[in-house]
Amino acid sequence: MLNDYLPDLMVKWPNDLVVPGRGKIGGVLIENIINSLAWEFAVVGIGLNINQRHFENKKATSLSLITGGQFDLQELFRLLIAHIEQGYIALKKGRMEEIRKEYLIHLFLKDIWEVFSENEDKFEGKITGVSKDGKLQIKLRDGTERFFWIERNHLSKSLMRFSIPNFKR
């Protein structure tokens, strides 16, 4: 849905929505509810900067700032709900690989060599994907692959250090 307005929109693992060269435009939060036997359901929150024009955080932006227009929030909400429903139908039909491929197309910094830091250690690598259990996959120059999870590693904070406004895809 946002790709109609922002063809360069990317997902910055694990949950930010960014436009390279412009900044962060929103994010997605997912809370999984698990009972004693298995996953039960998820609560999903989506935050988008639509018509906001001023931000304290210089890395933030909005649809209005990028396009120069003002948007009808109810119309965008309707389009978003329709898009979510299409994704849900694809999920119910078992089209997981199609959904995964679409996600990877929009994964920020995928296949780009960068210097990352984990705690105090720096290393060069490129994001190659996200594992089925949600870990970020980074291939190192020596060919080995490392996996990172937001709660175990501080890698996500090092990804934050990349200056989104200066990055061009």
Side-chain angles (χ1 to χ4, degrees):
M1 176 217 95
L2 287 176
N3 284 342
D4 293 340
Y5 303 99
L6 306 167
D8 295 336
L9 183 69
M10 306 291 286
V11 176
K12 186 169 142 264
W13 182 87
N15 60 355
D16 289 340
L17 300 174
V18 299
V19 178
R22 301 307 293 263
K24 180 178 173 179
I25 196 164
V28 178
L29 292 176
I30 302 172
E31 179 72 28
N32 288 302
I33 309 303
I34 301 170
N35 67 22
S36 61
L37 300 175
W39 178 85
E40 200 168 326
F41 62 91
V43 177
V44 179
I46 302 170
L48 297 171
N49 301 330
I50 304 296
N51 289 323
Q52 187 172 347
R53 310 230 8 119
H54 303 284
F55 296 92
E56 286 184 33
N57 183 340
K58 299 298 181 202
K59 293 182 180 181
T61 191
S62 70
L63 190 57
S64 180
L65 284 173
I66 293 171
T67 66
Q70 283 292 111
F71 295 87
D72 180 328
L73 297 180
Q74 289 189 342
E75 176 63 15
L76 283 180
F77 181 71
R78 187 190 65 71
L79 292 171
L80 178 62
I81 294 301
H83 189 75
I84 290 170
E85 184 176 29
Q86 290 171 358
Y88 177 70
I89 291 168
L91 186 63
K92 292 283 283 182
K93 289 182 176 179
R95 296 180 4 216
M96 282 300 297
E97 193 54 35
E98 180 183 320
I99 294 168
R100 180 177 171 72
K101 283 180 184 176
E102 184 70 19
Y103 173 81
L104 292 177
I105 287 170
H106 296 285
L107 184 59
F108 183 65
L109 295 179
K110 183 177 182 298
D111 296 326
I112 297 170
W113 291 101
E114 280 288 350
V115 175
F116 295 89
S117 60
E118 177 190 17
N119 300 320
E120 300 298 318
D121 299 326
K122 292 186 183 209
F123 61 93
E124 190 174 10
K126 66 178 175 178
I127 297 171
T128 57
V130 177
S131 67
K132 290 185 180 187
D133 61 351
K135 294 177 183 166
L136 187 67
Q137 297 172 243
I138 297 181
K139 182 177 184 177
L140 306 182
R141 284 279 187 189
D142 67 6
T144 60
E145 206 157 36
R146 293 182 63 188
F147 295 83
F148 296 89
W149 184 244
I150 194 167
E151 298 189 31
R152 195 191 64 156
N153 304 90
H154 296 285
L155 185 68
S156 62
K157 289 184 181 175
S158 70
L159 284 175
M160 291 297 288
R161 74 172 179 76
F162 291 111
S163 177
I164 296 167
N166 296 328
F167 179 81
K168 300 281 187 196
R169 181 149 176 127

